[in-house]
Amino acid sequence: MADVQKKLIVVLGATGNQGGAVARRFLQDPQYAVRGLTRNVSSPAAQALRELGAEVVAAELDDVESLKKAFKGANLIFSVTQYWEPFFRPDCRAKAEELGITCRKYAYDVEVQQGKNIADAAATVVDTLVDNGFLVSTLSSARKCSKGKFQDLYHFDSKADVFPDYVVPKYPELAAKMSCIHTGFFTTSHKILPDSYFAKQSDGSFQMRFPCNPDKLVPQLDVNRDTGNFVYAVSQMPPGKAYMAGEYLSFRDWAAAWGRVTGATIEYKEVTIDEMVAETPDKACGLEVALMYSYSSDPGYDGGMELLTAEDIQKAGIDCPITTVEESLAKQDFSKLFSK
């Protein structure tokens, strides 16, 4: 008897955090064939995916024709876009200066265009997609959800302005097959902001310093362990819904969990946006993330939206394991913090 034809999922950013996790999870299911898209098909991460059984294809988010070619025959597409890569790249910063705009706005423009390219290409294969076949990583619209208070939280709006705001009016058939997956704060973000997460005090204790209400519940995600499981679970749900991946936990409780894991003494201190910017070496990065933490206080990281969680998916009878913050922290190495 011939093998049942596998469903093909095309995964963008397949060698990155989110895309890599999604590719690896779907490769565990023999019902799926995985085509991973990446710029560098010769990288160690690309080779590792091949060894797991994935087809690895070169594609550029700036080249819509390469995406159309890579999407041929897709039954599902996982989309993820990237703000921080153009934000930090020296050539992009030089281009932003040449254009007379901030690197923050430049990265917004790049991510929006790349998101539109993905949507434009996905629309050409909408007929081969399954009912819930367009799975997109996104965030809330800070501009809309804050009623205009946050006009330049660029790495949120650069996602929301495309998924769903560009897709829904332009491609209603594609939108009907779309699920929006919001991702929480990564539990590894301390690697980017060590001085804000773990400010060493004179007595040897630590202080976590953000412009965010210490008791506000915010979603926290172990991106490498849980994104794949979450997206795989969402693929089994009906289309047209929006989700939040991660455990909701306040930063005060995050700090307490870290203290339990490491045995260190740590307290949480709410600071101002200006204080966080001053304490961040890259001031543009400091402003972008400080606005995010402030937005997370009010209206909230999720924008106050009613988003489905892992618990809701589990209530629908679908397995959706989520790593707790404490479990995630326990698997990380913080020894360098104590050797200074």
Side-chain angles (χ1 to χ4, degrees):
M1 182 180 293
D3 290 340
V4 176
Q5 186 173 2
K6 293 184 176 185
K7 295 178 185 175
L8 173 63
I9 178 168
V10 178
V11 179
L12 287 111
T15 55
N17 286 326
Q18 294 187 50
V22 172
R24 290 189 297 272
R25 178 61 186 88
F26 277 85
L27 282 166
Q28 294 174 27
D29 187 336
Q31 297 180 79
Y32 289 96
V34 174
R35 179 183 297 158
L37 307 189
T38 183
R39 282 180 301 188
N40 182 4
V41 297
S42 301
S43 71
Q47 182 57 36
L49 272 183
R50 280 195 203 90
E51 291 172 358
L52 290 174
E55 174 190 9
V56 181
V57 173
E60 290 281 352
L61 296 186
D62 295 319
D63 181 358
V64 70
E65 294 305 318
S66 77
L67 293 172
K68 288 178 181 178
K69 183 179 179 181
F71 288 170
K72 290 281 186 175
N75 303 120
L76 298 93
I77 295 170
F78 173 71
S79 166
V80 61
T81 51
Q82 178 57 269
Y83 177 87
W84 295 107
E85 194 257 355
F87 177 91
F88 283 115
R89 264 175 45 190
D91 61 322
C92 291
R93 292 211 167 182
K95 185 65 175 176
E97 187 173 352
E98 179 185 322
L99 294 171
I101 59 177
T102 66
C103 60
R104 298 171 55 236
K105 176 60 164 60
Y106 182 85
Y108 165 89
D109 291 340
V110 170
E111 187 172 21
V112 166
Q113 187 57 58
Q114 291 181 345
K116 288 180 177 180
N117 290 346
I118 292 168
D120 293 345
T124 67
V125 296
V126 67
D127 290 340
T128 66
L129 296 180
V130 298
D131 286 349
N132 190 22
F134 194 38
L135 310 172
V136 301
S137 176
T138 192
L139 291 170
S140 58
S141 172
R143 187 175 56 253
K144 291 182 179 179
C145 292
S146 69
K147 296 181 171 58
K149 178 182 176 182
F150 290 88
Q151 290 286 336
D152 60 344
L153 181 46
Y154 288 121
H155 75 285
F156 273 58
D157 290 349
S158 54
K159 297 170 181 64
D161 286 352
V162 180
F163 308 111
D165 288 359
Y166 174 77
V167 175
V168 169
K170 187 162 187 178
Y171 300 116
E173 290 184 10
L174 182 63
K177 295 185 174 185
M178 180 170 68
S179 289
C180 289
I181 301 166
H182 299 229
T183 55
F185 280 97
F186 294 174
T187 55
T188 50
S189 291
H190 58 83
K191 295 177 182 179
I192 303 170
L193 298 165
D195 294 334
S196 292
Y197 272 86
F198 311 120
K200 194 81 171 278
Q201 305 299 293
S202 58
D203 63 358
S205 67
F206 294 86
Q207 194 174 79
M208 177 182 279
R209 300 167 60 83
F210 296 129
C212 183
N213 183 310
D215 298 312
K216 180 75 174 185
L217 295 178
V218 293
Q220 314 275 358
L221 174 68
D222 188 321
V223 60
N224 298 111
R225 288 185 175 84
D226 290 343
T227 307
N229 289 329
F230 196 88
V231 173
Y232 181 77
V234 168
S235 73
Q236 301 168 62
M237 293 284 285
K241 300 181 184 298
Y243 302 83
M244 177 60 78
E247 177 196 15
Y248 274 85
L249 191 75
S250 71
F251 278 111
R252 191 198 300 275
D253 288 339
W254 195 110
W258 184 80
R260 289 192 294 272
V261 165
T262 62
T265 299
I266 186 170
E267 67 170 358
Y268 180 88
K269 181 179 180 181
E270 184 174 0
V271 297
T272 66
I273 290 175
D274 288 344
E275 285 175 317
M276 184 171 185
V277 172
E279 293 166 2
T280 306
D282 186 310
K283 302 309 176 189
C285 175
L287 179 56
E288 185 69 26
V289 296
L291 289 172
M292 170 180 63
Y293 285 101
S294 181
Y295 175 75
S296 297
S297 277
D298 183 23
Y301 183 92
D302 54 16
M305 300 171 65
E306 292 292 329
L307 302 174
L308 299 176
T309 64
E311 183 178 358
D312 296 307
I313 296 172
Q314 289 163 349
K315 287 179 180 177
I318 298 168
D319 187 39
C320 188
I322 283 287
T323 306
T324 67
V325 169
E326 190 156 348
E327 289 168 342
S328 177
L329 295 175
K331 296 179 187 299
Q332 299 181 49
D333 180 9
F334 296 99
S335 58
K336 288 183 179 179
L337 288 171
F338 302 98
S339 60
K340 294 179 180 180

